[in-house]
Each structure stands twice: as C-alpha cells, then as structure tokens.
Amino acid sequence: AAATRPETAVLALRWFLGNAKVRKKVILYNVVLKLLRKKRHWSETEALWAEMLRDGVQPDNATFSTVISCARACGLHSKAVEWFDKMPEFGCSPDMLTYSAVIDAYGRSGNSEAALRLYDRARAEKWQLDPVICSTVIKVHSTSGNFDGALNVFEEMKATGVKPNLVVYNTMLDAMGRALRPWVVKTIHREMVDQ
C-alpha cells in the first residue's frame, strides 16, 4: 500500500535519481506520472513535470499521453487539450492513445468541431481506429443531432476491422434511440447478442 502512495513514489524517484545510475530518467518519471494519473493527483502531476524539466529530462510520447490522460481523468478537459498542443514544442508526435484521449477531452468539453477535426486527422494519417475514439465520435455526433454521422462512424469502424465493444454498442443504442430509429436499434441489439 505504501508503494502506491504518490508521496512515497515521488520520494523513491528522487532517491533513484540521486543515488543510482539511470540511463533513461524519463522512464522513471513516466512510472511516477502514471501513478499520479491513477490516483488523479493533477497538481502533483504538474509539479513533477516542472521538476522533470528542471532536471533536464526530455519528455517523450508516453509522458505526454500520461499527463493528458491524467488531466482527462481529473475532469480537466481544457488542460488535456493544452498539453496536447505542447507536444510539438518538445518534438513529440501524438500516437493513437494521445489522439483518443484528446478527442475524448474535446468531446467532453463540448468542442465537437475540434473533436471531429482531430478524428479526421487521425483517419487521414491512417491511424488504427479504436473503440474509445469511435465511441467518443459517435457520442459527439449524437449530442449535436447528427445521427447519420454517428451511424457512419459505427459502420466505418466495423468496415475497418475494429470490433465494437460494449461501450460502443451502448453509445450507438443511445444515439439511435434518440434518433427514433428502432430498426437500427434492433439490428445493433441483434449484433450485440451474436458477439
């Protein structure tokens, strides 16, 4: 239990950084940042980031993905987007996990246009879609009343080989129920049962 306490982890990190020969310090920082994300400690995450930079450690994609998902887990969607925007200045490019987290953050913050632009960018760059992104984009379309857009994402997802999970199915059922399309709801329900 003590090992999962953020204070203990930060102290252990500082001990290792001061007493052990570590080739890639960023890995140690990433481990502690993941713990802070798990515990939803945003202020400590920002403080550790600042300490990492003072120590001359260059963040990598895993660092950004962790910080972005921490902001999202803490309900700080605008912070998640802010950190996403910082990636290029550190020479980092978003990967699928990062796209997923930021699309979700845009969607949850009500910025559906930005979520859809980023989704289109991810598709244009031929990133493999995943159920989290698809569910978020379906929800964004549904919330804005674009039920055809929601259905298109669902069909595109299946056509590209991404298997819908329970969250995707429930999001689609909600969208098509709101769209008053019982025949689609029935088809989706049948598909869920056949899985």
Side-chain angles (χ1 to χ4, degrees), residues 66-174:
T66 302
V67 171
I68 289 167
S69 61
C70 180
R72 202 177 101 226
C74 293
L76 302 169
H77 307 297
S78 61
K79 284 284 187 189
V81 171
E82 179 184 315
W83 284 86
F84 174 73
D85 291 340
K86 289 181 185 185
M87 289 182 77
E89 70 186 75
F90 289 92
C92 294
S93 300
D95 58 14
M96 205 62 231
L97 288 173
T98 310
Y99 275 130
S100 179
V102 175
I103 288 170
D104 185 61
Y106 276 134
R108 289 177 188 267
S109 67
N111 193 342
S112 57
E113 286 180 28
L116 296 175
R117 270 195 316 273
L118 195 54
Y119 172 69
D120 288 341
R121 179 175 157 194
R123 286 177 40 234
E125 293 180 14
K126 304 284 191 240
W127 286 97
Q128 175 65 41
L129 298 178
D130 73 355
V132 174
I133 286 179
C134 293
S135 175
T136 299
V137 174
I138 290 167
K139 193 179 304 175
V140 166
H141 279 306
S142 176
T143 302
S144 66
N146 181 359
F147 301 112
D148 289 333
L151 189 55
N152 287 341
V153 171
F154 182 68
E155 293 301 329
E156 177 186 22
M157 171 186 175
K158 293 188 306 181
T160 59
V162 178
K163 286 188 80 160
N165 62 16
L166 190 58
V167 173
V168 172
Y169 281 126
N170 285 333
T171 304
M172 274 306 296
L173 288 171
D174 178 65

Side-chain angles (χ1 to χ4, degrees), residues 151 154 158 169 172-177 180-194:
L151 189 55
F154 182 68
K158 293 188 306 181
Y169 281 126
M172 274 306 296
L173 288 171
D174 178 65
M176 293 301 105
L180 303 175
R181 297 183 184 176
W183 62 94
V184 179
V185 169
K186 189 174 184 178
T187 303
I188 292 169
H189 187 266
R190 193 173 322 119
E191 189 177 312
M192 282 176 64
V193 172
D194 291 343

